[in-house]
């Protein structure tokens, strides 16, 4: 079992918890078998996750990668339970143990696919779509592209690479960003990350997007639970009929349920229903219409398929959440998108915001907003060792040990504080 922490350049993107650092952290996990196969996985990187992955090594090595249930129960017996509340109140999920399960699940599936010469999507039940649609993911941002460019701009950048380093702090900036991203990747749906400015400003940006792209381009908006129930209803009513879904306007299942009773717009979540322990509360309260799966946070691709069955039973839609990621995660997300019959929304991805890659062949191509299921067995991707070494060197040099958007924001706005409910 090899564990390699990496850092990839990331622009100064704003969100409810502050600002992205110049690098985002990921960790690459490789499982090597005694007959020479290597299974890959990629998870969010942090000292807490890496420590747990290291601690898992002694119980993983020597196990059968084809017996997932046995491996998962050994992991659970070793580490104990991780409470749903360990998710925390930030936009991203801060649990660590679930990442160990996710990494092992994906790497074991990659191994099985390679051993039997079939794609991971086949092992998840079969391919229902070869071309998996993704959504544009817009962010308010400061000027800059992140990474090595964090203290300056690349004057030679063209197209999306040039647009990516532009600031976007008002509706015109957001619309310009959307045009550049859609032109480059062909996305057919658009999401705006909110929770950064007063609701009136962000709602104006949504209306500007609607004006610019028309009613046929589905729009999503995600204030990451920074609004009170009253604010959610007040502003939600002003954009009734405009959104495909409104994501986590307010915090917690009961608040989401109250908001849902008042609005016709479907509500989606990656904040109030994020684990199997949360499902009974979701059904009882009726907190959302759509659950955003993310194999990193639900404990792997097979766990996401289990979630999909729950969603089918309880009449929930399924869409997909994303954090910053590289090509191994993109391949895993695409296999899940290819195999899940009821994943009928375009998937979220942060992929356009990065420019580096750690897989052979470099950056993955999007056509018409879609990623075509990779050819080849397993996940269908191979590690580019030289690129992995560079990304690991970035990790060593940037000296980040966890994601802390509040600290990054304080570098720009001294004294800035995260608030669980701001408006
Ligand atoms: O990367 O800033 C970000 C996002 O806000 C991310 O942390 C969230 O987890 O993409 C996310 C979401 O809530 O949909
Ligand atoms: Mg969200």
């Amino acid at each position: 079992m090899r564990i390699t922490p990496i850092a990839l350049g990331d622009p100064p993107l704003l969100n409810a918890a502050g600002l992205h650092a110049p690098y985002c952290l990921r960790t690459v996990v490789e499982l090597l078998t005694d007959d020479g196969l290597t299974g890959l996985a990629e998870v969010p990187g942090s000292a807490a996750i890496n420590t747990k992955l290291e601690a898992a090594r002694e119980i993983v090595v020597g196990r059968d990668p084809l017996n997932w249930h046995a491996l998962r129960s050994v992991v659970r017996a070793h580490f104990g339970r991780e409470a749903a509340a360990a998710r925390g109140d930030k936009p991203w999920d801060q649990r660590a143990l679930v990442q160990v399960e996710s990494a092992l699940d994906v790497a074991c599936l990659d191994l099985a696919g390679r051993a039997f010469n079939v794609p991971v999507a086949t092992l998840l039940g079969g391919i229902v779509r070869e071309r998996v649609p993704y959504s544009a993911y817009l962010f308010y941002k400061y000027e800059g592209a992140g990474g090595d460019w964090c203290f300056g701009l690349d004057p030679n950048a063209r197209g999306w690479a040039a647009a990516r380093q532009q600031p976007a702090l008002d509706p015109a900036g957001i619309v310009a960003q959307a045009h550049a991203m859609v032109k480059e990747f062909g996305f057919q749906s658009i999401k705006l990350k909110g929770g950064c400015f007063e609701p009136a400003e962000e709602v104006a940006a949504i209306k500007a997007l609607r004006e610019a792209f028309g009613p046929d381009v589905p729009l999503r908006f995600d204030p990451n639970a920074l609004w009170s129930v009253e604010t959610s209803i007040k502003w939600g009513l002003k954009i009734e009929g405009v959104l495909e879904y409104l994501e986590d306007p307010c915090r917690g299942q009961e608040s989401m349920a109250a908001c849902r009773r008042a609005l016709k717009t479907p509500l989606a979540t990656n904040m109030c229903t994020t684990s199997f322990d949360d499902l009974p509360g979701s059904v009882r309260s009726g907190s959302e219409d759509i659950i955003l799966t993310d194999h990193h946070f639900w404990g792997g691709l097979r766990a996401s398929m289990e979630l999909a069955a729950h969603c089918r039973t309880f009449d929930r839609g399924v869409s997909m959440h994303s954090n910053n990621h590289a090509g191994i995660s993109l391949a895993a997300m695409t296999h899940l998108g290819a195999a899940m019959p009821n994943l009928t929304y375009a998937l979220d991805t942060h992929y356009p915001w990065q420019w580096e890659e750690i897989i052979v062949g470099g950056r993955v191509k999007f056509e018409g907003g879609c990623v075509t299921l990779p050819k080849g067995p397993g996940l269908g991707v191979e590690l580019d060792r030289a690129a992995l070494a560079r990304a690991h060197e970035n990790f060593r040099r940037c000296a980040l040990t966890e994601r802390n958007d509040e600290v990054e924001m304080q570098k720009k706005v001294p004294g800035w504080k995260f608030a669980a409910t701001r408006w």
Side-chain angles (χ1 to χ4, degrees):
M1 181 174 176
R2 284 196 202 123
I3 300 158
T4 312
I6 61 170
L8 303 170
D10 196 21
L13 308 180
L14 290 153
N15 67 24
L19 184 67
H20 284 210
Y23 288 92
C24 61
L25 304 181
R26 305 291 291 174
T27 297
V28 174
V29 176
E30 296 170 76
L31 292 183
L32 284 66
T33 65
D34 49 6
D35 49 358
L37 296 176
T38 302
L40 300 175
E42 175 196 330
V43 291
S46 74
I49 293 169
N50 295 344
T51 302
K52 284 229 162 20
L53 284 166
E54 290 291 352
R57 194 195 297 276
E58 61 174 296
I59 53 164
V60 170
V61 173
R63 302 257 159 207
D64 177 2
L66 296 184
N67 194 344
W68 169 240
H69 291 144
L71 179 54
R72 187 169 65 175
S73 66
V74 169
V75 168
R76 289 184 177 180
H78 183 78
F79 289 105
R81 280 178 67 79
E82 184 172 48
R87 185 206 177 281
D89 54 8
K90 300 288 180 335
W92 64 96
D93 195 315
Q94 289 170 73
R95 288 174 297 159
L97 194 49
V98 77
Q99 299 300 343
V100 176
E101 288 193 15
S102 164
L104 295 176
D105 168 78
V106 174
C108 287
L109 279 167
D110 191 25
L111 279 175
R114 289 169 194 263
F116 300 126
N117 199 24
V118 291
V120 163
T122 299
L123 298 173
L124 294 175
I127 299 168
V128 291
R129 54 187 84 79
E130 292 269 356
R131 295 178 75 243
V132 176
Y134 285 85
S135 167
Y137 199 154
L138 311 180
F139 277 84
Y140 288 103
K141 72 179 288 284
Y142 293 135
E143 186 172 58
D148 290 340
W149 298 107
C150 62
F151 300 118
L153 299 174
D154 177 3
N156 299 316
R158 296 285 173 270
W160 167 243
R164 186 173 47 207
Q165 58 187 16
Q166 293 302 313
L169 295 163
D170 57 17
I174 289 294
V175 169
Q177 184 186 98
H179 280 304
M181 196 186 269
V182 165
K183 183 164 182 223
E184 175 82 14
F185 297 90
F187 295 123
Q188 314 276 317
S189 318
I190 299 177
K191 165 168 168 171
L192 173 64
K193 169 61 55 184
C196 314
F197 298 109
E198 297 274 348
E201 291 187 36
E202 297 192 349
V203 162
I206 285 294
K207 288 185 173 167
L209 285 169
R210 172 62 174 252
E211 182 72 21
F213 288 88
D216 295 338
V217 174
L219 297 178
R220 307 150 181 194
F221 173 51
D222 181 9
N224 273 129
L226 269 226
W227 292 357
S228 66
V229 175
E230 296 68 33
T231 303
S232 303
I233 295 172
K234 175 179 166 192
W235 291 97
L237 286 171
K238 292 187 198 288
I239 42 177
E240 286 281 38
V242 173
L243 296 177
E244 177 182 40
Y245 55 75
L246 174 59
E247 199 173 311
D248 290 307
C250 47
R251 194 168 292 278
Q253 290 181 330
E254 295 302 334
S255 301
M256 285 280 284
C259 180
R260 186 167 172 241
R261 286 192 292 273
L263 297 178
K264 291 195 201 70
T265 303
L267 298 192
T269 189
N270 65 281
M271 294 186 75
C272 75
T273 303
T274 58
S275 72
F276 289 94
D277 289 351
D278 293 325
L279 294 180
S282 154
V283 173
R284 269 197 304 272
S285 66
S287 40
E288 70 282 312
D289 301 274
I290 298 149
I291 298 180
L292 304 177
T293 188
D294 179 331
H295 72 273
H296 305 92
F297 297 116
W298 283 86
L301 298 169
R302 284 174 274 217
S304 287
M305 293 302 286
E306 288 173 27
L307 171 65
H310 164 92
C311 289
R312 194 179 61 234
T313 307
F314 290 98
D315 201 22
R316 298 284 193 275
V318 197
S319 189
M320 191 186 282
H321 163 265
S322 156
N323 278 135
N324 293 106
H325 62 88
I328 302 173
S329 281
L330 182 63
M333 291 154 72
T334 303
H335 280 274
L336 187 59
M340 194 183 279
N342 50 341
L343 182 51
T344 49
Y345 295 96
L347 289 58
D348 277 1
T349 179
H350 281 56
Y351 199 70
W353 293 104
Q354 269 62 63
W355 58 94
E356 295 153 297
E357 195 37 287
I358 53 165
I359 56 171
V360 172
R363 300 289 295 170
V364 174
K365 284 243 165 329
F366 286 67
E367 276 166 0
C370 298
V371 174
T372 302
L373 194 64
K375 299 273 173 274
L379 292 175
V381 294
E382 305 294 337
L383 268 179
D384 175 336
R385 295 267 158 212
L388 183 71
R390 278 196 299 278
H392 179 61
E393 180 55 22
N394 278 347
F395 170 78
R396 279 188 351 88
R397 274 193 307 136
C398 79
L400 294 168
T401 55
E402 62 170 0
R403 180 174 175 180
N404 190 331
D405 294 12
E406 185 179 49
V407 163
E408 289 304 320
M409 189 68 162
Q410 286 166 353
K411 294 177 187 167
K412 297 268 186 192
V413 183
W416 191 90
K417 279 267 165 245
F418 168 72
T421 305
R422 194 177 291 280
W423 289 288

